Amino acid sequence: MAKSAELTPLGVASLALLAEQPMHPYEMYQLLMARHEDRLVKVRPGTLYHAVGRLEENGLVESTGTGREGNRPERTTYRITQDGHAALDARLQAMLATPVNEYPVFPHAIAEAHHLPADVVTGLLADRVVALNADLDFLVRAQEAVTAKGLDRKYWIDITYQQAMLRTEIAWIRGLLEELGTGQLPWDEPRPAPTELSNKPKESLGKHS
Amino acid sequence: MAKSAELTPLGVASLALLAEQPMHPYEMYQLLMARHEDRLVKVRPGTLYHAVGRLEENGLVESTGTGREGNRPERTTYRITQDGHAALDARLQAMLATPVNEYPVFPHAIAEAHHLPADVVTGLLADRVVALNADLDFLVRAQEAVTAKGLDRKYWIDITYQQAMLRTEIAWIRGLLEELGTGQLPWDEPRPAPTELSNKPKESLGKHS
DNA sequence: CGACAACTATTCCACGTGGAATAATCGGGC
DNA sequence: GCCCGATTATTCCACGTGGAATAGTTGTCG
């Protein structure tokens, strides 16, 4: 059990799988894919092995022997430990309770959008709305599929969350497009003063990182 | 001008600054901080120097001589190139038009939340709502401050976007808390079957990465 | 006027990720 | 019965990030 250093998202996903049942890494990969968890966590085979290796170094999982089937490379099966259960719970609690800024690119993009002319921006945003609608559609289908299957709702609440967020983004962009179209929101004027770097005290409004 | 390899967020921010005016890296750092752009982009002094160095390798910026003031370390001033302007525009357009999955942790957290008992989850979510409300408050203040200052609205539309998203998340969580409270959404039953890894064809619903 | 904190300015190292490389085996068509 | 592509299963390397380390310099409080 080395120093902890915070679980990565893939670490959490792996631990959660091992909490259900012992497995070898490739089986985790298959399960994650079969359950479409790659929509929630970035899953890359290479990264997965590293993630599990780290879990082992930190004593959160341990290998329960290595088996071989035919002439395939050796597979190491892992199981979760007591420490692993504790770490998983702790991390999950933190992820639920504490919002963190993850620096999504879209807000950054609109903040810098004034570098582009208004008509270009409207075109691009219209494209985005189309793409977002496709995503939303997909989520609605997914929800239908999963309800039809009778799967317990607590296993897919994230779908309703993503729908809600998507709908809001679409609505917000539509509003912006409207304002740009009617000229309510002026855009293409030249920028005022280039630099400012005065020495006003500036109350330091700290936020969570 | 080496191979392109896609601009990082900090690369975009740096380029955008140099599009206004030539500068040395530390000045960029100061400007980004003064403008509170670190709310939109992760800014770390170390990373900034690397980012600018890479921009130079790729021919997007070039140094316009190195000056020294007193006995301070040497400062290299950079300016944007033609290629730099093009790359910035291209990247901005892509960021605006194309939604990408950035794997935020909260959806992942709620998807795994069934590992925890219902009353714990409600407590954690209540905490999150408090924190989110504080964030929202902050953004409302920021908006007031910036309107009072008479700053052109196109420079802070991202604030209204973030408010909208925040409000939606809060509302969604409140809804979930309601359902958990009334027992409308059952939670604490034991999980049904552990593994499934059958071989159903499973239409491959591709999405943007 | 001396000490100490904060700012200026940059470099360096360890870590996690993504993607390619490897290699053997299985399934399907001709 | 043989070839080809997909699947199984894992390793390795290059890159970007975050945080610490460094070191001189300005401002401030007693």
Side-chain angles (χ1 to χ4, degrees):
Chain A
M1 54 193 88
K3 63 187 72 167
S4 37
E6 182 112 359
L7 288 175
T8 67
L10 191 50
V12 171
S14 309
L15 263 186
L17 287 184
L18 292 178
E20 292 177 34
Q21 202 178 88
M23 290 189 221
H24 54 94
Y26 193 73
E27 198 177 346
M28 296 181 205
Y29 179 74
Q30 285 177 116
L31 253 183
L32 289 173
M33 288 314 188
R35 293 181 183 174
H36 301 287
E37 274 207 53
D38 57 328
R39 304 191 118 294
L40 297 168
V41 186
K42 216 181 288 183
V43 181
R44 202 73 43 186
T47 312
L48 180 58
Y49 285 90
H50 282 142
V52 176
R54 241 169 317 158
L55 292 178
E56 189 180 23
E57 282 167 29
N58 293 23
L60 306 185
V61 306
E62 55 193 13
S63 92
T64 155
T66 68
R68 164 185 309 260
E69 199 137 335
N71 202 359
R72 308 282 196 69
E74 232 180 41
R75 295 175 316 181
T76 314
T77 303
Y78 295 91
R79 98 175 124 224
I80 193 168
T81 65
Q82 291 294 355
D83 281 15
H85 269 116
L88 176 58
D89 275 29
R91 187 74 244 277
L92 273 183
Q93 299 195 26
M95 294 196 305
L96 283 169
T98 313
V100 293
N101 188 352
E102 303 178 69
Y103 305 95
V105 307
F106 185 61
H108 183 200
I110 49 181
E112 305 270 29
H114 59 261
H115 288 288
L116 303 173
D119 56 329
V120 173
V121 172
T122 57
L124 297 165
L125 288 181
D127 289 353
R128 169 173 274 258
V129 167
V130 171
L132 291 177
N133 267 315
D135 289 6
L136 182 54
D137 236 66
F138 175 86
L139 286 177
V140 172
R141 305 281 171 80
Q143 172 164 0
E144 284 164 7
V146 96
T147 19
K149 213 170 128 193
L151 184 58
D152 224 357
R153 192 162 133 235
K154 66 175 170 175
Y155 294 119
W156 50 269
I157 28 170
D158 60 284
I159 294 186
T160 67
Y161 173 83
Q162 309 217 62
Q163 284 178 10
M165 298 304 276
L166 224 30
R167 279 190 237 269
T168 301
E169 179 168 338
I170 292 170
W172 183 87
I173 297 178
R174 288 222 170 102
L176 180 59
L177 283 174
E178 180 69 20
E179 288 193 274
L180 283 171
T182 62
Q184 255 185 281
L185 173 51
W187 196 264
D188 283 325
E189 279 89 67
R191 56 178 16 259
T195 325
E196 348 102 33
L197 236 179
S198 46
N199 40 357
K200 33 194 156 169
K202 208 132 209 169
E203 74 283 30
S204 84
L205 304 143
K207 295 298 316 306
H208 46 69
S209 86
Chain B
M1 51 195 92
K3 63 188 71 168
S4 38
E6 182 112 0
L7 289 174
T8 67
L10 190 51
V12 171
S14 309
L15 263 186
L17 287 184
L18 292 178
E20 292 177 34
Q21 204 178 85
M23 288 189 226
H24 55 94
Y26 192 72
E27 197 176 347
M28 295 180 205
Y29 180 74
Q30 285 176 115
L31 253 183
L32 289 173
M33 288 314 189
R35 294 181 183 174
H36 301 287
E37 274 207 54
D38 57 328
R39 305 189 118 293
L40 297 168
V41 186
K42 217 182 285 181
V43 181
R44 203 73 44 187
T47 311
L48 180 57
Y49 284 89
H50 285 315
V52 175
R54 240 170 313 154
L55 292 178
E56 189 181 22
E57 282 167 29
N58 293 21
L60 306 185
V61 306
E62 54 192 15
S63 91
T64 155
T66 68
R68 166 184 307 258
E69 200 137 334
N71 202 359
R72 308 281 194 71
E74 233 180 41
R75 296 175 316 181
T76 313
T77 303
Y78 295 93
R79 98 175 124 224
I80 194 169
T81 65
Q82 291 294 354
D83 282 14
H85 270 115
L88 176 58
D89 275 28
R91 187 76 243 278
L92 272 183
Q93 299 194 25
M95 294 195 304
L96 282 169
T98 313
V100 292
N101 188 352
E102 303 178 67
Y103 305 94
V105 306
F106 185 61
H108 182 202
I110 49 180
E112 306 271 28
H114 59 261
H115 288 288
L116 304 172
D119 55 329
V120 172
V121 172
T122 57
L124 297 166
L125 288 181
D127 289 352
R128 169 173 274 257
V129 168
V130 171
L132 292 176
N133 266 315
D135 289 5
L136 182 54
D137 236 66
F138 175 86
L139 286 176
V140 172
R141 304 282 172 79
Q143 173 164 1
E144 283 165 6
V146 96
T147 18
K149 214 171 126 192
L151 184 58
D152 226 356
R153 194 163 131 234
K154 67 174 170 175
Y155 296 119
W156 49 269
I157 28 171
D158 61 283
I159 294 186
T160 67
Y161 173 83
Q162 308 217 61
Q163 284 177 9
M165 298 304 276
L166 223 31
R167 279 189 236 269
T168 301
E169 178 168 339
I170 291 169
W172 183 87
I173 297 177
R174 288 222 168 102
L176 179 59
L177 283 173
E178 180 67 20
E179 288 193 274
L180 283 170
T182 62
Q184 257 185 278
L185 173 52
W187 197 262
D188 283 325
E189 279 90 67
R191 56 179 15 261
T195 324
E196 348 103 31
L197 237 179
S198 46
N199 40 359
K200 33 193 157 171
K202 208 133 207 169
E203 74 284 29
S204 84
L205 304 144
K207 295 301 315 307
H208 45 68
S209 86

